Amino acid sequence: MVDLRSVVDLSRTYQQDFYCRDTLAVARELLGALLCRQVSDGRVLYGPIVEVEAYTQDDPACHASRGLTPRCRVMFGPPGRAYVYFIYGMYHCLNVVTEPEGTPGAVLIRAVGADGTNGPGKLCREWQIDWSHNGTSLLTPGTDLWICAGTTVSGSDIVCSPRIGVSSATDRHWRFYLRGHPSVSKAPQPPVGKKRRRA
DNA sequence: GGGCCGATTGTT
DNA sequence: ACAATCGGCCCG
């Protein structure tokens, strides 16, 4: 039996000051951090975060861009909590809340370096993350869900791109991922062989 | 109350 | 290219 403490340094669980910052900075620094989840039977699942996306108040793609609604309420609350939403009638997605209370912001966790955890919908399905986690704190190690500092990631290993499935603000390259990691989503292929209209 | 759309995924 | 599947949000 592996002692979890030999793999995950619980004392390095990120606290509110880590999340209470610029969303883009938090997004980049979450790469390599260990997402940890204790499921209902007591098993602890964990893995390094390898793909994230940032969403901020002034961003048209952000749920909070048109003000506070029941769904996005926790994005306006204290940093360091989970923001979970339901999408396409079948998937939950996990975000971490950033920025000072009153300023909405979040980082979508798109993939973790563990089996079956590529893609935000599959991650939540595999790790049993759902509505019950919306608004819960990420600051207490050994509870439901928490995040520990992991291995330091070099800036040259981080790739930026437009966000997946977002049709607006495509000039904001706010998706960050670890170069070459197998769990990272494959970006949708641009149309090929399409005839270009001649002038 | 109606209707449309979506921070996805897997199949055709 | 599209279906599955349903909550959120805007409009009236």
Side-chain angles (χ1 to χ4, degrees):
Chain A
M1 169 123 188
V2 174
D3 184 350
L4 180 65
R5 288 166 299 182
S6 67
V7 185
V8 176
D9 187 347
L10 298 178
S11 72
R12 292 211 293 159
T13 298
Y14 284 127
Q15 293 303 296
Q16 195 170 63
D17 58 331
F18 175 83
Y19 300 99
C20 190
R21 292 184 297 147
D22 174 75
T23 304
L24 293 176
V26 176
R28 287 177 165 275
E29 292 179 36
L30 278 173
L31 291 176
L34 293 170
L35 180 68
C36 307
R37 159 97 177 104
Q38 181 167 36
V39 291
S40 50
D41 66 7
R43 282 155 47 231
V44 173
L45 313 172
Y46 60 91
I49 296 169
V50 299
E51 181 184 6
V52 298
E53 285 175 0
Y55 290 87
T56 64
Q57 182 170 35
D58 66 334
D59 165 17
C62 178
H63 292 164
S65 65
R66 283 166 298 281
L68 193 156
T69 66
R71 178 177 63 159
C72 68
R73 174 180 51 81
V74 324
M75 287 183 71
F76 289 79
R81 306 224 270 222
Y83 167 50
V84 177
Y85 66 89
F86 187 65
I87 191 68
Y88 295 115
M90 52 185 83
Y91 297 106
H92 295 273
C93 293
L94 171 67
N95 297 251
V96 306
V97 174
T98 58
E99 309 281 350
E101 182 165 3
T103 302
V107 176
L108 171 67
I109 309 298
R110 288 195 58 90
V112 166
D115 283 346
T117 59
N118 56 316
K122 285 166 64 183
L123 166 64
C124 287
R125 186 209 288 157
E126 292 292 318
W127 282 19
Q128 303 167 37
I129 294 165
D130 58 36
W131 281 130
S132 70
H133 298 90
N134 191 35
T136 60
S137 172
L138 302 173
L139 308 181
T140 311
T143 53
D144 233 18
L145 204 53
W146 70 100
I147 300 177
C148 296
T151 57
T152 303
V153 170
S154 150
S156 62
D157 290 330
I158 299 178
V159 185
C160 315
S161 84
R163 295 165 293 183
I164 301 290
V166 171
S167 54
S168 62
T170 54
D171 58 318
R172 297 184 181 190
H173 292 190
W174 286 0
R175 169 181 176 241
F176 304 99
Y177 61 93
L178 294 187
R179 184 189 311 280
H181 196 285
S183 292
V184 169
S185 319
K186 196 185 66 157
Q189 293 291 96
V192 295
K194 183 156 147 200
K195 240 170 228 164
R196 185 157 40 98
R197 211 160 116 249
R198 298 193 299 102

